[in-house]
């Protein structure tokens, strides 16, 4: 890693111990008091981290796996819209995607969050996703961090969607080390054979979540992840040992139509909204006023 004046250590888990979602890691030179964030300096630090990750040996494999996901039937441009000679002038064979990022964390003080933000910017570039079409939200963002994200060109959401965003077009969801409830909410909102194939998730491996959760609780509280495990494609991404707290257990997850069609039709009928009545330690910050409507998106 480049010499940024920050030091942080890899935290290793005891064998058999479950990894909690996104533990807070702060840089050694962070201060507890609230100080105005230097926007320009923070933007430069993030861009330097992007350059650093671009040179990492594992980055080409992440890029390749994203492009494989983009090449799925559901995301490709319709055949009649393609140039018979090959890609268009900009090399684009795919529809432009939206991107949604939840739960990134405080990237101005957390080294892991800054690296995850830098990886997001690399993925947007690789997928030819316009920065303005990346919608990002975390209740942990400070006003200064929101200014940094807007300076980078991203669109900062102002409302906590609890992960309940409908994929009305092909969408990349970037959900690094987020809680199970957020994944479950996202799946519920898109629980149909029309919406799920539009989604690419880069985040916690569903197989990894299953392995770390008591089966009885998993089936009771996270029914949509439970069902999705058997029909999704979950491709684990490489992670160097020194970045284990940043990118460990991260996968590219897609939902092929052929796999979804194996489930009985009753699977898709009137899916109930998750309630989490038996989850005292819910790994998600909920809205103050809860609306149980399966409505549209918020842009």
């Amino acid at each position: 890693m480049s010499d940024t004046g920050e030091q942080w250590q890899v935290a290793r888990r005891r064998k058999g111990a479950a990894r909690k979602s996104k533990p807070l890691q702060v840089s050694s030179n962070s201060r507890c008091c609230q100080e105005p964030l230097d926007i320009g300096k923070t933007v430069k630090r993030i861009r330097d981290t992007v350059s650093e990750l671009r040179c990492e040996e594992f980055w080409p494999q992440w890029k390749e796996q994203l492009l494989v996901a983009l090449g799925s039937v559901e995301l490709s441009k319709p055949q009649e819209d393609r140039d018979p000679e090959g890609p268009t002038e900009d090399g684009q064979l795919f529809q432009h995607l939206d991107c949604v990022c939840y739960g990134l964390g405080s990237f101005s003080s957390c080294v892991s969050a800054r690296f995850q933000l830098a990886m997001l910017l690399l993925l947007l570039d690789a997928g030819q996703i316009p920065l303005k079409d990346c919608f990002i939200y975390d209740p942990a963002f400070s006003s200064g961090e929101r200014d940094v994200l807007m300076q980078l060109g991203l669109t900062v959401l102002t409302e906590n969607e609890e992960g309940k965003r409908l994929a009305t077009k092909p969408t990349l969801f970037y959900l690094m080390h987020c809680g199970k409830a957020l994944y479950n909410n996202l799946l519920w909102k898109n629980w149909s054979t029309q919406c799920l194939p539009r989604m690419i998730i880069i985040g916690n491996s569903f197989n990894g979540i299953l392995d770390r959760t008591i089966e009885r609780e998993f089936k009771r509280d996270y029914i949509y992840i439970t069902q999705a495990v058997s029909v999704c494609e979950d491709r684990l991404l490489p992670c160097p040992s020194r970045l284990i707290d940043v990118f460990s257990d991260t996968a590219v997850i897609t939902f092929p139509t052929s796999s979804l069609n194996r489930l009985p039709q009753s699977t898709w009928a009137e899916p109930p909204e998750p309630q989490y009545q038996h989850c005292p330690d819910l790994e998600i910050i909920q809205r103050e006023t809860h609306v149980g409507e399966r409505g549209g998106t918020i842009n």
Side-chain angles (χ1 to χ4, degrees):
M1 294 171 62
S2 65
D3 184 7
T4 61
E6 296 172 335
Q7 297 182 4
W8 53 292
Q9 296 180 341
V10 172
R12 303 190 184 280
R13 302 193 303 277
R14 300 187 308 277
K15 185 176 181 181
R19 176 170 55 79
K20 295 182 180 179
S21 298
K22 194 177 279 295
L24 180 63
Q25 301 175 345
V26 296
S27 60
S28 59
N29 62 348
S30 64
R31 295 182 175 89
C32 294
C33 57
Q34 293 290 332
E35 293 184 355
L37 189 63
D38 187 322
I39 306 300
K41 182 178 180 180
T42 305
V43 169
K44 182 181 184 303
R45 181 177 294 172
I46 293 166
R47 287 178 172 156
D48 287 346
T49 307
V50 170
S51 298
E52 183 177 339
L53 282 178
R54 197 187 299 273
C55 296
E56 290 282 351
E57 291 183 1
F58 72 93
W59 160 240
Q61 297 174 67
W62 279 56
K63 180 178 179 179
E64 180 183 1
Q65 287 299 326
L66 174 64
L67 296 179
V68 167
L70 289 175
S72 63
V73 173
E74 290 78 8
L75 300 180
S76 298
K77 285 184 176 179
Q79 190 68 36
E80 60 270 19
D81 293 342
R82 297 189 184 186
D83 188 330
E85 301 299 323
T88 56
E89 291 183 3
D90 62 357
Q92 180 65 266
L93 268 178
F94 312 115
Q95 297 183 47
H96 282 296
L97 277 74
D98 278 350
C99 177
V100 177
C101 172
Y102 296 129
L104 187 66
S106 180
F107 56 84
S108 66
S109 62
C110 176
V111 180
S112 292
R114 191 178 81 241
F115 271 77
Q116 290 165 0
L117 174 55
M119 178 60 78
L120 171 62
L121 296 173
L122 277 176
L123 293 168
L124 294 175
D125 180 64
Q128 301 181 38
I129 303 174
L131 292 170
K132 65 179 178 60
D133 292 338
C134 179
F135 304 91
I136 187 167
Y137 180 83
D138 193 316
F141 290 152
S142 66
S143 59
E145 287 174 325
R146 290 192 290 270
D147 289 341
V148 168
L149 294 169
M150 289 187 286
Q151 181 72 27
L152 289 169
L154 307 178
T155 298
V156 180
L157 297 171
T158 58
E159 181 173 340
N160 183 0
E161 301 176 339
E162 298 181 345
K164 300 170 185 177
R165 171 174 281 251
L166 189 66
T168 58
K169 62 180 292 188
T171 303
L172 169 64
F173 288 91
Y174 188 73
L175 313 173
M176 298 295 292
H177 296 179
C178 289
K180 296 184 289 293
L182 193 142
Y183 291 98
N184 202 54
N185 286 350
L186 177 64
L187 292 172
W188 165 73
K189 189 69 174 184
N190 294 277
W191 198 248
S192 71
T193 54
Q194 292 75 43
C195 292
L196 287 175
R198 298 175 186 151
M199 296 168 51
I200 300 174
I201 297 175
I202 294 183
N204 299 25
S205 164
F206 283 1
N207 289 318
I209 293 174
L210 177 61
D211 291 342
R212 292 190 300 272
T213 308
I214 298 173
E215 184 177 2
R216 175 177 54 82
E217 295 178 357
F218 194 65
K219 291 182 177 180
R220 180 192 66 197
D221 301 323
Y222 305 103
I223 59 173
Y224 297 104
I225 305 178
T226 300
Q227 296 179 86
V229 166
S230 64
V231 292
C232 71
E233 291 190 356
D234 188 308
R235 297 182 292 276
L236 205 62
L237 293 167
C239 172
S241 59
R242 65 188 181 83
L243 295 176
I244 197 75
D245 278 349
V246 184
F247 299 121
S248 66
D249 197 41
T250 300
V252 177
I253 301 170
T254 53
F255 304 88
T257 299
S258 57
S259 298
L260 299 179
N261 287 339
R262 294 203 303 264
L263 295 177
Q265 286 301 311
S266 59
T267 303
W268 314 107
E270 299 297 328
E273 182 174 4
Q275 298 300 325
Y276 310 112
Q277 296 174 349
H278 305 285
C279 301
D281 300 319
L282 195 62
E283 303 166 318
I284 188 175
I285 297 177
Q286 295 178 296
R287 292 193 299 263
E288 291 184 6
T289 56
H290 181 74
V291 180
E293 245 178 58
R294 204 164 180 243
T297 61
I298 302 170
N299 288 341

